[in-house]
């Protein structure tokens, strides 16, 4: 399949800078400032120019790192370039923000150029745990930033939370959820702490500084699901919860084609789980277009150097044979509570889930992990807890 | 050479008391080898043997010695395996001799193996020449060593010859003593050839090379000979001796030692201790022949399943030069395809495993060793069982007998208490305690063979900080309350961990195994119960709790590829797992527990 003629509708941009690297974070980012950020912005503009011809973004996601660390001038430059390349106007445009780096000026600037969704890396609302995680913001800054964003006109805000943080108790988790719900955000992402290799948190675990209480982590996850449902959040992916339109909230446009996915679900992420194409720009970013997966260099100077020479900064390429690719699409789509509408799967992969994976589907149904209707196959609440075990069965 | 000028002898000693150095010195002084060759001419062939300070096998060496009386003698040094694991092989080698040098380290005195070897030699009615070696050492105490000879072994101390093989002191005295004291061989008076086959090795070109001692008549190339126990006849192709390299001779006569080849293809056709005689005019067999039976059994499995064929071929090659090693294929649910192997004893088991690892580069794992139990059934029959898998149902068993050994443990005085406790823990009974000198005692005890298989020797070494020594000899069978211990995972037995143990030990062992298994069995989507059972009775139980979730918290576009690869790897890993009941267990888990 050729990537040059197709029009890609999703764009991810990685901003590999942070004010401070968190204890748990394994993403490619570095605490850096000044010249390198300027050089990065310049390189990113080159990269945008290289892909603009094949890109008509319906969803854009600026992740990191900390995209909000770019200063007003740098944002200005970047947004103007996007305007020049005719890349504005996405139906959903998310920028990740750290509560410590949100100013009203910056928020307004983003909103003016069409950013309409903010993902706030809150992680916890407990001072002691924020410190434990190495976050630079305080709980007060969360509430203040949230108000700032609302004041700047953002009507779709996500709050990122973490649970099963070492020393976090169930009481602390309940308190954090109480306060998070009180914010009245449209979206909530909640992740159990992952101990990724090469992070300080992993090293501390290995050194025996704390134990992982699996039962508590499990109970926290169950509590989360129950309480989200009671608070009007619809559980639509393993770690993601979103509101439906109504009660003064208008549904973002265009309306989602699958009625099982809540209106305020992150469309950009849904595209990942449903095997859609996307461009990925910036150091370490992954793109997936026409079955070809590429990954940029996870090294900012090297990334810049390549682009300054006019080259795409690919570090790796991966292209799977059709069935293997379909297996991957099937596996990751099951992370969503909506599962796979058979028709949708056929469109995304070219295969029929019912004929190719009939055995796995009935095995999962018999296990009490999944349900099948005439139009779709999905994991139930129990099955979702074992989404990786289920995913493994679908890989070919 | 006429029999009056032949002397056949061997050297017996405790580990490191200087047997090899003395052998080399004798070869050197008789001009059999030059000094410059000495480094490569050490009698010990294998690395492993040199490392452990023991000789498993060596060729008999023929030396010519011009004695002080002006006559030249043919001295045949017949090496013995030096460990009672190979008691039968030792006894065959010793029976080829008329005398033995009993080497004692002047600084160490009599040790456990000295005692065991002395017993074997005196059973063969050999003339013993005690040699007190290493007299050059600062801690040498010749008087004490002589005292121990009298007290422990009842050997007159005036027989002893002080020497230093390292410094070349006393070597001529030893050679003279061999000539003067060791009786010359006497013909048996039978009508024809009688030769003892006491060892053999396999040569790719010549086939089996058999070490023989001629007791009567003579043997030459072209002769038709018969092996009385195997019943097969062969034409002798080559006759020779070793110096220490093989050289051909016209013939071997009464009293002489050497080798023959006869186009024998299979080492199993030459039984140790068999009598070789003239096929046309046979003589009677020589006394002392026994079929050798393995005493210790263990399963040996390739760690990598694909290595099964390679392991099979390695074992075949190994058996060519170790006819006492027995093996047959078996399968285990946990470990796949492997072999049930029989060994003469614990050292033999270790040696075979080490040789498979080092010489054949095999990655192997061995199951818990077992001895041969005599199971008397209610119907009056008796069944020998060396594999827990073949243990009859309890209801059919009237009683069980287990093999016993007589052990000699020599230890410093201050360790007597701990040593007695260890022997009691091992279900042994001390029947004799003897003071060796001011600082050491020797304990003789009757202990079940099964108990000394695992860590007896190591424990003695650790209790005595290396100063203790141990040896043993078989001592028949005794009634014992043995039970079969099974390890179950969700009710299904894991065959690799079944074992036959004494009832008093079963619960403890079951508990220890269950705890170890709990650590290595991966969590499943359901709880896994690990149990130790004797008959139907559960004696220990552990639970591996179910994992309650298996899901990556965070997974977006950039994570998919890495996550997919991880899941693929897991899927591959599960394919290689052994499934016992519905529980998937990686083979590595079994191996880890067996290694512990």
């Amino acid at each position: 399949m050729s990537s040059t003629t197709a029009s890609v509708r999703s764009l991810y941009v990685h901003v590999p800078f942070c004010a401070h690297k968190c204890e748990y974070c394994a993403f490619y980012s570095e605490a850096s400032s000044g010249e390198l950020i300027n050089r990065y912005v310049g390189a990113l503009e080159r990269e945008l120019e290289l892909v603009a011809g094949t890109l008509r973004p319906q969803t854009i996601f600026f992740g990191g790192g900390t995209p909000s660390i770019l200063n007003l001038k740098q944002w200005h430059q970047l947004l103007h370039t996007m305007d020049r390349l005719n890349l504005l106007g996405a139906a959903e445009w998310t920028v990740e923000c750290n509560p410590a780096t949100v100013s009203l000026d910056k928020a307004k600037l983003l909103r003016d150029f069409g950013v309409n969704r903010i993902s706030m890396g809150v992680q916890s609302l407990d001072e002691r745990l924020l410190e434990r995680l190495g976050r630079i913001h305080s709980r007060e800054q969360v509430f203040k930033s949230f108000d700032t964003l609302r004041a700047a006109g953002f009507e779709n805000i996500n709050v990122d939370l973490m649970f099963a943080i070492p020393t976090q108790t169930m009481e602390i988790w309940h308190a954090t959820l109480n306060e998070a719900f009180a914010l009245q955000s449209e979206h909530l992402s909640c992740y159990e702490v992952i101990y990724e290799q090469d992070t300080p948190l992993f090293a501390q675990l290995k050194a025996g500084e704390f134990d992982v209480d699996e039962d508590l982590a499990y109970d926290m996850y169950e509590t989360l699901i129950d309480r989200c449902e009671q608070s009007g959040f619809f559980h639509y992916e393993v770690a993601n919860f979103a509101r439906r339109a109504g009660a003064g909230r208008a549904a973002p446009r265009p309306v989602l084609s699958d009625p099982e996915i809540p209106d305020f679900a992150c469309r950009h992420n849904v595209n990942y789980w449903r095997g859609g194409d996307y461009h990925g720009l910036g150091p370490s970013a992954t793109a997936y277009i026409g079955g070809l997966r590429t990954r940029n260099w996870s090294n900012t100077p090297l990334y810049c150097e390549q682009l300054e020479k006019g080259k795409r900064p690919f570090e790796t390429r991966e292209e799977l044979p059709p069935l293997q690719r379909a297996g991957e699409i099937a596996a990751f789509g099951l992370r969503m509570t909506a599962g796979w509408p058979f028709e949708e799967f056929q469109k995304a992969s070219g295969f029929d889930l019912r004929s190719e994976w009939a055995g796995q589907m009935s095995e999962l149904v018999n296990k009490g992990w999944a349900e099948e209707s005439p139009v779709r196959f999905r994991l139930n609440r129990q099955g979702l807890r074992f989404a990786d075990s289920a995913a493994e069965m679908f890989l070919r | 050479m006429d029999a009056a000028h032949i002397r056949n002898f061997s050297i017996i000693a405790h580990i490191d008391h200087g047997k090899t150095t003395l052998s080399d010195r004798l070869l050197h002084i008789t001009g059999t080898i030059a000094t410059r060759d000495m480094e490569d001419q050490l009698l010990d062939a294998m690395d492993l043997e040199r490392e452990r300070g023991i000789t498993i096998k060596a060729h008999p060496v023929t030396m010519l010695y011009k004695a002080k009386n002006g006559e030249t003698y043919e001295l045949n040094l017949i090496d013995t395996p030096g460990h009672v694991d190979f008691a039968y092989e030792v006894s065959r080698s010793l029976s080829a001799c008329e005398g033995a040098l009993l080497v004692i380290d002047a600084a160490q005195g009599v040790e456990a193996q000295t005692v065991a070897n002395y017993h074997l030699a005196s059973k063969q009615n050999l003339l013993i020449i005690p040699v007190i070696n290493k007299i050059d050492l600062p801690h040498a105490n010749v008087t004490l060593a002589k005292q121990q000879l009298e007290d422990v072994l009842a050997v007159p101390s005036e027989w002893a010859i002080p020497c230093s093989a390292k410094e070349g002191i006393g070597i001529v005295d030893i050679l003279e003593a061999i000539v003067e004291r060791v009786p010359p061989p006497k013909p048996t008076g039978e009508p024809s050839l009688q030769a003892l086959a006491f060892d053999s090795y396999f040569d790719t070109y010549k086939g089996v090379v058999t070490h023989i001692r001629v007791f009567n008549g003579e043997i030459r190339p072209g002769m038709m000979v018969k092996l009385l126990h195997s019943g097969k006849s062969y034409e002798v192709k080559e006759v020779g001796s070793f110096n220490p390299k093989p050289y051909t001779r016209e013939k071997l006569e009464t009293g002489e030692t050497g080798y023959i080849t006869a186009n024998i293809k299979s080492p199993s056709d030459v039984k140790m201790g068999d009598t070789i005689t003239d096929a046309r005019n046979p003589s009677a067999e020589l006394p002392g022949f026994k079929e050798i039976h393995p005493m210790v059994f263990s399963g040996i499995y390739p760690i990598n399943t694909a290595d099964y064929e390679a392991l099979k071929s390695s074992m075949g090659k190994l058996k060519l030069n170790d006819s006492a090693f027995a093996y047959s294929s078996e399968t285990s649910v946990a470990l796949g395809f492997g072999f049930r192997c029989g060994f003469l004893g614990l050292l033999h088991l270790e040696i075979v495993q080490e040789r498979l690892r080092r010489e054949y580069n095999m990655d192997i794992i061995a199951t818990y060793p077992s001895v041969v139990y005599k199971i008397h059934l209610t119907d009056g029959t008796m069944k020998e069982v060396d594999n827990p898998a073949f243990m009859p149902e309890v209801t059919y068993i009237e009683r069980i007998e287990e093999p016993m050994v007589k052990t000699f443990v020599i230890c410093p005085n201050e360790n007597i208490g701990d040593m007695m406790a260890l022997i009691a823990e091992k279900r042994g009974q001390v029947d004799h305690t003897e003071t060796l000198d001011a600082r050491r005692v020797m304990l003789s005890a009757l202990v079940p063979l099964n108990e000394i298989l695992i860590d007896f020797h190591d424990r003695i070494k650790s209790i005595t900080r290396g100063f203790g020594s141990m040896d043993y000899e078989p001592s028949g069978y005794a009634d014992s309350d043995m039970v079969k211990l099974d390890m179950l995972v969700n009710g299904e037995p894991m065959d690799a961990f079944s074992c036959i143990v004494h009832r008093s030990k079963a619960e403890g062992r079951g508990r220890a195994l269950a705890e170890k298994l709990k650590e290595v069995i991966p969590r499943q989507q359901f709880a896994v119960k690990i149990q130790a059972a004797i008959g139907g009775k559960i004696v220990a139980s552990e639970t591996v709790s179910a994992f309650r979730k298996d899901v990556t918290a965070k997974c977006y576009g950039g994570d998919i590829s890495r996550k997919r690869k991880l899941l693929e790897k897991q899927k591959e890993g599960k394919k290689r797992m052994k499934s016992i009941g519905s529980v998937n267990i990686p083979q590595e888990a079994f191996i880890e527990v067996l290694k512990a």
Side-chain angles (χ1 to χ4, degrees), chain A residues 192 214 328 385 388-389, chain B residues 523 549-550 552 556 564:
Chain A
E192 179 177 340
E214 288 185 43
E328 179 188 281
R385 290 171 182 148
D388 284 3
S389 310
Chain B
R523 294 168 73 189
K549 57 184 168 52
D550 174 28
T552 307
Y556 299 107
R564 188 198 73 241

Side-chain angles (χ1 to χ4, degrees), chain A residues 191-192 214-215 218 240 269 272-273 278 318 320 328 335 367 369 385-386 388-389 392 395, chain B residues 523 525 548-557 560-565 568 570-571 574:
Chain A
Y191 311 103
E192 179 177 340
E214 288 185 43
D215 285 335
Y218 178 86
N240 286 283
N269 289 339
Y272 291 145
W273 298 315
Y278 53 93
E318 173 187 82
L320 299 178
E328 179 188 281
R335 292 179 62 86
K367 243 181 167 165
W369 284 6
R385 290 171 182 148
F386 293 96
D388 284 3
S389 310
E392 200 184 293
L395 293 180
Chain B
R523 294 168 73 189
Q525 285 157 14
R548 299 172 74 187
K549 57 184 168 52
D550 174 28
V551 54
T552 307
K554 209 167 187 170
C555 188
Y556 299 107
I560 288 177
S561 180
R562 187 171 67 114
K563 187 70 207 168
R564 188 198 73 241
K565 285 173 191 157
E568 279 169 353
Q570 269 178 33
K571 196 170 180 170
K574 279 182 194 161

Side-chain angles (χ1 to χ4, degrees), chain B residues 300-303 311 352-353 356-357 362-366 595:
Chain B
I300 293 184
Y301 288 81
I303 284 185
L311 179 58
V352 167
Q353 289 186 15
L356 285 170
R357 290 193 179 106
M362 299 305 306
D363 215 359
I364 51 168
I365 184 78
K595 271 186 182 160

Side-chain angles (χ1 to χ4, degrees), chain B residues 402-455:
Chain B
E402 67 173 329
M404 305 296 290
V405 293
K406 182 168 186 180
T407 66
F408 311 98
V409 178
I410 292 182
C411 71
N413 291 338
E414 64 265 30
N415 301 127
I416 298 177
D418 290 338
M419 202 56 67
M420 296 277 227
L422 174 65
I423 290 169
E425 182 196 320
K426 295 290 185 182
R427 299 189 287 125
Q429 280 198 324
V430 177
D431 57 24
H432 196 67
T433 310
E434 200 166 335
T435 305
L436 292 184
D437 51 49
R439 53 187 182 92
R440 296 184 311 158
V441 287
M442 179 171 87
L443 309 174
S444 311
L446 200 60
V447 185
L449 175 60
N450 144 316
E451 294 287 344
I452 67 166
L453 286 184
I454 299 304
D455 60 355

